[in-house]
Amino acid sequence: MVALITLIISGLLQGTPPDSLSLQQGYELASKNYPVAANIELQRKITDLNVKVANAGYYPNLEIGGKASYQSEVTDFALPGGGGPPAVSKDQYEASLSVVQNIYDGGAVDIRKELERARGQQEVHTSQLELHQVRKQVDQVYFGILLSQQQSRVNDLLIDNLRERLATVRSRVKNGVLLPSQQNILQAELIKAQQDSSELESTIRAGYDVLSEITGVEIPRTTTLSLPEVDIDMQHLQPQRPEYDLFESRRNAIESQIALAKTRKLPAISAFGTTAYGRPGFNFLEDDFHGYYILGLRLKWNIKDLWSANREMQALEIQQQKITHSEQAFTTQMKASLDRIRERITAIRENLERDNRIIELREQVVKESASQLENGVITATEYVTELNRANTARLSLFINRVRLAEAQAAYATTLGVPFQQNQ
């Protein structure tokens, strides 16, 4: 079965119009072809690049420098009676190469890498959240089409019934058994039913057009949309909404920021070295061009950062509390939505049981009314009234079947779990 679905989806992605489409396939197509889906892979590439940039903190920092200057005066060591060291040149030159290698920074480089990963996950989960909203749109359009199709089928039954009864009434009118007005009433009802049929067909075509836009695949009007038949386990399913992943990635990012702020409270140690060529060098009395260098260790500890880092950490911890409160509010809203959907599912199931009984009774009434109409006992208006009531009962049954599947799909969508359809 999995292989079959894979082949169907593969055909869809290659542009072959599908013969049938399930709700789950609609989800998969939308999540693959909707423009936001491409952002997920792009963001992963961006994150990889940002991590590599942060990793460069392990590498030594190389700096090439050069300078040339002329000064109006220099230190003069000439003795009063003459002699002494030669004067230093007023024009001075230097070309240098400096290297600084980080030795200890409190783990700041690794923390920056984790921070970039957490920020990247935030962007990915934001895109996934947008795709989840698209899933809701698929639900609305998919079940909207199914409802219109069910209405169209019931309306077609009404048209067939009216045509059959109209043929019988015409014969009775021709034979003088019934008045022409009875034929006109049925004819008017038939025209109205045909008008309803045209409107329903237009609604269905528009639904297929919208579904094609959302899924990114051309879905022709001839494609069969299967009515999902599922039994949702409303007691044991756990939520898998992308919002929870987004909350978690935000927390991870803040934890990395807190850890990074802690590193500012620690001293930084680095090794450095500079080699240069020019004049004068470190020995300013040596006034010829020559090479020279310096090596050493450097310790840097900004005392002011101790205070600012503590304040930054406090602000970040408050931000974490806000995220927790937002998550709790989201969970409360989601549970309220699930409660409403459960109540709707229970009510629909009860209505389905009543619909079947009502249809049985209405069909018996219509059968009796048809015989009475042919014998002139009741008018065409009375017959049409009973016929409409029977068709309304059938329509109610079909609509409730669609609404039950729609409510179950809404429950799965609200939880964020895959929608497993019985095949």
Side-chain angles (χ1 to χ4, degrees), residues 1-2 81 173 193 250 283:
M1 185 59 67
V2 174
V173 170
R250 286 176 178 172
N283 182 2

Side-chain angles (χ1 to χ4, degrees), residues 33-305:
N33 297 329
Y34 203 73
V36 174
N39 290 346
I40 295 177
E41 185 59 32
L42 292 175
Q43 182 57 51
R44 287 178 177 144
K45 293 179 179 178
I46 292 172
T47 300
D48 288 341
L49 292 173
N50 288 337
V51 169
K52 291 177 180 178
V53 171
N55 192 63
Y58 284 125
Y59 305 146
N61 183 35
L62 302 179
E63 181 178 338
I64 298 175
K67 67 178 182 178
S69 64
Y70 179 85
Q71 55 197 64
S72 60
E73 59 183 13
V74 294
T75 303
D76 187 358
F77 294 97
L79 298 176
V88 179
S89 299
K90 293 183 178 180
D91 56 326
Q92 300 179 1
Y93 307 91
E94 181 184 79
S96 64
L97 173 64
S98 298
V99 179
V100 178
Q101 173 63 59
N102 177 45
I103 296 177
Y104 175 77
D105 61 0
V109 173
D110 282 335
I111 295 172
R112 289 191 182 96
K113 290 163 64 176
E114 288 302 318
L115 179 58
E116 291 299 336
R117 293 189 182 99
R119 286 172 172 168
Q121 283 300 308
Q122 278 186 250
E123 295 298 325
V124 168
H125 294 320
T126 299
S127 297
Q128 290 173 339
L129 179 57
E130 293 184 51
L131 290 177
H132 183 76
Q133 301 303 318
V134 174
R135 173 172 168 171
K136 292 182 180 180
Q137 295 179 29
V138 173
D139 284 344
Q140 293 173 354
V141 177
Y142 190 95
F143 287 105
I145 294 173
L146 286 176
L147 282 172
S148 296
Q149 288 176 334
Q150 295 290 12
Q151 291 175 318
S152 180
R153 292 187 183 103
V154 172
N155 194 67
D156 289 342
L157 290 175
L158 174 63
I159 290 173
D160 292 341
N161 200 316
L162 286 170
R163 284 173 175 167
E164 179 182 352
R165 202 57 52 208
L166 183 60
T168 302
V169 169
R170 278 175 180 165
S171 176
R172 296 280 181 164
V173 170
K174 185 176 181 181
N175 293 330
V177 177
L178 295 176
L179 295 174
S181 60
Q182 304 303 308
Q183 174 182 329
N184 294 337
I185 291 172
L186 292 177
Q187 185 70 47
E189 286 296 323
L190 178 59
I191 294 173
K192 180 179 180 302
Q194 290 170 336
Q195 288 177 331
D196 293 340
S197 180
S198 297
E199 292 179 2
L200 287 168
E201 286 299 314
S202 176
T203 300
I204 292 170
R205 283 195 299 271
Y208 274 95
D209 291 340
V210 175
L211 192 59
S212 297
E213 290 292 334
I214 296 175
T215 59
V217 175
E218 182 181 356
I219 302 176
R221 170 71 176 81
T222 55
T223 302
T224 301
L225 303 186
S226 57
L227 179 63
E229 296 180 1
V230 296
D231 187 12
I232 296 294
D233 183 359
M234 293 185 290
Q235 300 299 324
H236 302 98
L237 286 175
Q238 297 299 318
Q240 300 176 23
R241 288 286 292 266
E243 286 88 344
Y244 288 114
D245 293 328
L246 182 57
F247 289 136
E248 185 63 23
S249 63
R250 286 176 178 172
R251 272 193 288 265
N252 291 338
I254 290 178
E255 288 175 0
S256 295
Q257 288 177 279
I258 291 174
L260 192 60
K262 288 181 179 178
T263 65
R264 292 168 49 201
K265 300 165 65 176
L266 301 173
I269 301 175
S270 59
F272 67 91
T274 300
T275 181
Y277 182 82
R279 73 173 189 190
F282 296 134
N283 182 2
F284 64 91
L285 296 178
E286 187 177 352
D287 196 38
D288 59 342
F289 284 91
H290 63 281
Y292 46 94
Y293 67 89
I294 183 174
L295 301 173
L297 293 175
R298 180 180 293 123
L299 183 144
K300 181 181 178 182
W301 198 354
N302 192 336
I303 303 302
K304 186 178 70 172
D305 283 346

